[in-house]
């Protein structure tokens, strides 16, 4: 791999790392909000199953 390609990939990785850390920070702020809504795993699975069934019917 050429040095230019390595530098480009390093910059891309750094940008992605910054973006990812920003997303985690936002998620933590949202999760700590008094307005946060939590969904248990059983309810989430049921919702996802319903959505999948609806998608099957619509396709």
């Amino acid at each position: 791999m050429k040095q230019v390609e390595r530098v480009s990939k390093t910059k891309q990785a750094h940008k992605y790392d910054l973006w990812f850390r920003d997303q985690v920070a936002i998620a933590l702020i949202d999760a700590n909000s008094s307005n946060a809504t939590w969904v248990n795993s059983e309810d989430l699975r049921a919702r996802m199953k319903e959505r999948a069934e609806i998608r099957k019917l619509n396709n």
Side-chain angles (χ1 to χ4, degrees):
M1 183 181 298
K2 296 179 182 178
Q3 184 175 356
V4 173
E5 291 173 356
R6 280 194 300 263
V7 170
S8 178
K9 287 187 182 248
T10 300
K11 286 181 180 180
Q12 288 175 340
H14 180 68
K15 283 182 180 181
Y16 177 80
D17 185 61
L18 292 174
W19 171 84
F20 183 81
R21 289 171 185 265
D22 189 45
Q23 296 303 304
V24 170
I26 291 168
L28 290 173
I29 291 167
D30 289 346
N32 286 326
S33 167
S34 60
N35 296 326
T37 304
W38 296 92
V39 179
N40 67 40
S41 61
E42 291 85 18
D43 290 343
L44 179 61
R45 285 188 187 119
R47 280 182 180 171
M48 293 184 73
K49 186 176 180 180
E50 287 175 15
R51 286 182 176 179
E53 289 170 1
I54 291 169
R55 273 191 234 121
K56 283 182 186 176
L57 294 173
N58 291 330
N59 289 330

